[in-house]
Amino acid sequence: MGTYCKAYETARLAEFPGWLERGEGDGGQGYLYLQEDFTVTSGIFPGESVVFDMVTPVWVEFCRTTLKFEVPSEEE
């Protein structure tokens, strides 16, 4: 199990120009989980129910600057 993930509204993640959901999406929940490895899942467990895994430098920059995503230092 990963040590950190953060929930975001699906619409917020979809602001990324390269956003393309695969798999089961958010199951109507309206939110998804951004994992510490920058993949996106529909549940809290990394590697399971993966919705987005096209981790590129542009995606990582979007996560860091637009979404303000960072792993808290005590979790690293």
Side-chain angles (χ1 to χ4, degrees):
M1 180 161 153
T3 58
Y4 185 78
C5 67
K6 184 174 180 180
Y8 286 93
E9 291 182 14
T10 303
R12 188 83 169 110
L13 296 167
E15 291 175 12
F16 178 66
W19 180 254
L20 178 63
E21 282 186 39
R22 69 175 182 93
E24 59 191 61
D26 68 13
Q29 300 175 69
Y31 57 89
L32 295 167
Y33 297 90
L34 180 57
Q35 301 289 335
E36 64 186 330
D37 66 357
F38 294 96
T39 60
V40 179
T41 59
S42 62
I44 62 169
F45 300 107
E48 295 181 18
S49 303
V50 176
V51 175
F52 183 85
D53 63 357
M54 296 178 1
V55 179
T56 64
V58 176
W59 169 248
V60 171
E61 183 67 17
F62 173 83
C63 293
R64 289 184 174 153
T65 59
T66 303
L67 300 177
K68 307 294 186 212
F69 178 79
E70 65 179 74
V71 177
S73 59
E74 65 271 4
E75 297 294 327
E76 292 180 325

